[in-house]
Amino acid sequence: MSNLRSAISNEVTPPYTRAEIIELRLIETFAPTRCLVEDESARHAGHAGAASGGGHYRIELISTAFEGKNRLARHRLVYDCLHDMMQRDIHALAIVTKTPAETSA
């Protein structure tokens, strides 16, 4: 478990990929019923942001943590969770957040 905690709180190091680090942090923070992290960096090869080394990721989260919060507040929670990675590891982030009730509607 110490390796997991190290991966969650420190820079990306093997054997964890950036996408795995993102997923681990989101799981630890939001205890989601669904957590999907897709690395779309290859689709953006040649893009100016890709040159800086930051990746492009698509996230889908379903969590009770989003209940009573609007879209902007939900996205802020996700950005707060990943704030240090936004400076070096993440160039772009597409976020879909839902509550369990919103998925069954």
Side-chain angles (χ1 to χ4, degrees):
M1 192 61 140
S2 63
N3 285 342
L4 175 61
R5 293 234 177 264
S6 175
I8 292 171
S9 61
N10 295 326
E11 289 187 39
V12 177
T13 56
Y16 301 104
T17 65
R18 286 181 183 162
E20 289 170 331
I21 300 281
I22 293 167
E23 183 177 4
L24 291 169
R25 284 192 180 186
L26 294 171
I27 289 169
E28 183 176 79
T29 302
F30 299 105
T33 56
R34 176 172 171 81
C35 181
L36 175 67
V37 177
E38 184 179 351
D39 185 349
E40 297 183 336
S41 300
R43 296 181 196 161
H44 299 275
H47 180 269
S52 69
H56 291 71
Y57 299 91
R58 178 170 303 279
I59 293 172
E60 182 182 337
L61 278 175
I62 301 172
S63 174
T64 57
F66 302 128
E67 290 177 359
K69 294 177 177 56
N70 65 27
R71 183 177 172 189
L72 180 60
R74 294 174 183 194
H75 285 211
R76 283 183 178 156
L77 289 172
V78 173
Y79 281 112
D80 287 347
C81 173
L82 302 173
H83 72 281
D84 62 313
M85 292 184 78
M86 296 299 298
Q87 303 303 314
R88 64 180 183 275
D89 299 314
I90 300 171
H91 171 72
L93 198 55
I95 305 169
V96 175
T97 55
K98 297 179 183 179
T99 66
E102 292 169 337
T103 61
S104 61

